[in-house]
């Protein structure tokens, strides 16, 4: 049984029963029985059902946002934006699915040669708590659009939101095409070890992603993994320090730092370091930060801050666990951060902005390129030459110049290193959810 407490005040939100072995067996068996019929459903019909699912999601946006806020502390307006983003993603895959085509090849004039995408089969989707509807809709939408059946396990930190999402969407599709199972990491591990699963799509921690990859190596399942990040922000000496501080604060403190591509470490050139830090402290102290998802996560975030302070970093604001109920933690700015600190080498996933002052853009870029993660990176610079160098040299799936959360819709990237593998979004996710069959048809002799 999973008990969820409201991170704002510690009150009990509710309890959710964890799926047992029998439920897992039944869900996967139903998914396998349904997959042939769902795969044979015309792509246009699958797309129409996804459009219907998107409309249902919009109709339940307020209810889902309220539930999300109660479970994770995500402000209701932001939670609602996540629901609407999820609906938009379902619409996107409703349109992309029917035009996801293979290739015809130029062989003998009397023969036909084709490369045809086919659904892989049963997809297990393991989704996170920090944006539980939007992220889930990406994986579910792409899998369903391409003719796969899906067993979805939402995070145990947002099970009520996941259950409601399953109820809203599940009734749209044929029985067995989309199912929801509840449980903690142990249930996710059991699903990942099953030989009757064809794809495991996971967004979450690096530790869990590596465990999934090990299980998939034994079963042969395809994996799509977007895991942790330690995203750097490099600030050149030729930008306005107040503007740069606003960008840094947005990247580090939005959603209390609980965003996969949040700014996790900052490198600022010494020429503007003093006014930048003063402006960043002002930004931090002017923000009302929502609570972290729970006290266990708060302990993790504070352990990174405490480690930094014990090894010479200095908190300019924040950095202390507040009294009172809930899982609140202040927006925190640290300076004097050495490259070996946990806040500089690991994923903190909280409202912490660790700053390292560097002598030059070259030094900042070189240090930003270090580390085991490779999800995203941002550079603030007025120099086109520096911008070009940065996007070429930073080993990250996504590089943003002069906008911490910028980007056109429809983009997709491969994370690097400990941050995962495979396209986790965009049109290319349809390729991850399908396998290609080569077909040669020749007339009889």
């Amino acid at each position: 049984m999973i008990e969820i407490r409201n991170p704002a005040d510690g009150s009990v939100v509710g309890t959710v029963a964890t799926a047992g072995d029998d439920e897992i067996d039944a869900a996967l068996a139903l998914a396998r029985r349904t997959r042939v019929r769902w795969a044979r459903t015309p792509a246009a019909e699958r797309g129409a059902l996804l459009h219907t699912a998107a409309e249902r999601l919009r109709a339940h946006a307020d209810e889902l946002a309220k539930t999300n806020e109660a479970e994770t502390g995500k402000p209701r307006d932001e939670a609602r934006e996540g629901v609407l983003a999820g609906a938009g993603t379902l619409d996107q895959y409703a349109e992309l699915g029917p035009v996801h085509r293979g290739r015809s090849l130029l062989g003998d004039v009397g023969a036909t040669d084709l490369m045809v995408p086919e659904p892989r089969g049963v997809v297990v989707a393991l989704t996170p708590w920090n944006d539980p509807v939007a992220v889930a809709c990406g994986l579910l939408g792409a899998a369903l659009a391409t003719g796969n059946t899906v067993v979805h396990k939402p995070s145990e930190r947002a099970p009520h939101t996941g259950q409601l999402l399953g109820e809203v969407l599940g009734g749209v599709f044929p029985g067995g095409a989309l199912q929801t199972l509840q449980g903690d990491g142990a249930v996710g591990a059991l699903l990942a070890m099953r030989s009757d699963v064809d794809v495991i799509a996971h967004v979450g921690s690096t530790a869990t992603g590596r465990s999934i990859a090990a299980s998939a190596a034994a079963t042969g399942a395809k994996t799509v993994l977007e895991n942790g990040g330690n995203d750097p922000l490099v600030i050149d000496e030729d930008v306005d320090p107040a503007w740069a501080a606003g960008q840094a604060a947005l990247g580090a403190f939005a959603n209390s730092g609980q965003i996969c591509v949040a700014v996790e470490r900052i490198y600022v050139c010494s020429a503007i370091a003093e006014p930048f830090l003063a402006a960043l402290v002002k930004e931090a102290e002017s923000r009302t930060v929502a609570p972290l998802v729970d006290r266990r996560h708060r302990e993790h975030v504070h352990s990174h801050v405490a480690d930094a302070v014990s090894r010479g970093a200095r908190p300019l604001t924040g950095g202390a666990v507040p009294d009172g109920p809930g899982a609140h933690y202040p927006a925190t700015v640290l300076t004097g951060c050495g490259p070996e600190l946990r806040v500089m080498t690991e994923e903190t996933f909280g409202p912490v902005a660790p700053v390292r002052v560097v002598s030059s853009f070259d030094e900042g870029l070189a240090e930003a390129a270090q580390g085991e993660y490779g999800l995203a990176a941002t550079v603030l610079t007025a120099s086109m030459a520096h911008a070009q160098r940065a996007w070429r040299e930073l080993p990250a799936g996504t590089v943003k110049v002069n906008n911490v959360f910028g980007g056109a819709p429809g983009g997709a990237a491969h994370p690097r290193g400990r941050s995962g593998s495979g396209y986790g979004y965009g049109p290319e996710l349809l390729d991850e959810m399908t396998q290609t069959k080569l077909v040669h048809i020749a007339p009889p002799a």
Side-chain angles (χ1 to χ4, degrees):
M1 190 70 69
I2 301 169
E3 181 182 80
I4 297 296
R5 291 182 175 271
N6 189 314
D9 59 17
S11 61
V12 175
V13 175
T15 58
V16 174
T18 298
D21 291 344
D22 290 346
E23 290 175 89
I24 293 173
D25 289 343
L28 290 175
L30 179 57
R32 294 211 76 81
R33 290 197 303 272
T34 307
R35 67 187 177 93
V36 174
R37 177 163 61 99
W38 181 240
R40 290 177 176 174
T41 301
E45 291 184 23
R46 296 196 299 259
L49 291 175
L50 282 168
H51 277 310
T52 299
E55 287 305 307
R56 283 180 56 85
L57 201 57
R58 292 185 180 95
H60 289 82
D62 291 336
E63 185 182 3
L64 280 159
K66 179 180 178 181
T67 304
N68 189 355
E69 180 183 45
E71 288 195 304
T72 71
K74 192 178 185 76
R76 193 171 305 186
D77 287 346
E78 294 179 20
R80 192 173 189 278
E81 288 176 6
V83 176
L84 297 180
T89 300
L90 293 180
D91 279 331
Q92 178 188 65
Y93 286 124
E95 296 295 327
L96 291 174
V99 297
H100 182 240
R101 59 176 67 91
R103 293 168 54 196
S104 60
L105 306 174
L106 299 177
D108 291 342
V109 68
T112 300
D113 292 273
L114 304 170
M115 293 171 62
V116 182
E118 295 182 327
R120 290 182 177 272
V122 176
V123 175
V124 164
L126 306 174
T127 60
W129 50 265
N130 61 317
D131 202 354
V133 176
V135 174
C137 284
L139 298 179
L140 305 184
L144 291 165
T146 47
N148 300 280
T149 55
V150 184
V151 176
H152 175 214
K153 191 199 83 67
S155 170
E156 64 271 26
R157 281 169 158 156
H160 296 90
T161 305
Q163 188 64 43
L164 180 56
L165 176 65
E167 292 168 0
V168 170
L169 301 184
V172 173
F173 303 98
L178 175 60
Q179 303 173 78
T180 303
L181 288 179
Q182 297 284 8
D184 56 12
V187 173
L190 288 173
L191 287 166
M193 290 188 291
R194 294 288 296 245
S195 60
D196 48 355
V197 170
D198 301 292
V199 180
I200 309 164
H202 170 253
V203 178
S205 74
T206 291
T208 300
R210 288 190 161 183
S211 175
I212 290 169
S215 295
T219 65
K222 164 77 174 178
T223 59
V224 181
L225 306 173
E226 184 187 300
N227 299 149
N230 183 228
D231 296 358
L233 169 64
V234 181
I235 304 172
D236 208 345
E237 65 183 15
D238 58 2
V239 299
D240 175 60
W243 169 76
Q247 286 286 302
L250 177 62
F253 305 142
N255 198 33
S256 301
Q258 300 170 128
I259 299 175
C260 299
V261 292
V263 168
E264 292 273 340
R265 49 191 170 120
I266 300 169
Y267 303 91
V268 60
C269 288
S270 58
I272 63 167
E274 186 174 341
F276 167 78
L277 285 167
L280 183 57
V281 169
K282 185 176 180 180
E283 288 275 357
E285 293 178 346
S286 69
R287 288 174 176 264
T288 301
V289 179
L292 298 172
V293 66
D294 57 30
R295 289 196 167 198
R296 176 164 59 94
H297 184 54
R298 184 172 71 175
E299 289 173 4
H300 162 78
V301 171
H302 187 62
S303 72
H304 279 202
V305 174
D307 168 77
V309 173
S310 72
R311 294 202 274 170
R314 182 164 61 94
L316 298 181
T317 188
V321 176
D323 295 328
H328 298 273
Y329 199 80
T332 298
V333 178
L334 299 173
T335 189
C337 294
E340 76 287 349
L341 302 182
R342 292 175 66 194
V343 287
M344 301 297 283
T345 60
E346 301 177 18
E347 183 176 42
T348 303
F349 217 62
V352 180
V355 180
R356 179 163 170 76
V357 178
V358 293
S359 62
S360 65
F361 179 81
D362 287 352
E363 182 183 2
L365 187 62
E367 292 201 19
Q370 301 301 309
E372 299 179 312
Y373 296 91
L375 192 57
T378 305
V379 174
L380 307 181
T381 181
S383 165
M384 180 60 73
H386 284 178
Q388 293 285 3
R389 276 189 55 207
W391 76 257
R392 290 188 182 278
E393 295 179 15
L394 287 168
T398 300
V399 178
K400 296 158 286 185
V401 178
N402 295 331
N403 193 336
V404 291
F405 290 142
H414 283 134
R416 316 292 167 84
R418 296 185 67 188
S419 292
S421 61
Y423 290 111
Y425 46 92
E428 285 76 9
L429 181 53
L430 300 175
D431 297 327
E432 302 283 2
M433 295 295 180
T434 54
Q435 52 195 348
T436 301
K437 178 176 287 182
L438 183 62
V439 180
H440 173 74
I441 304 173

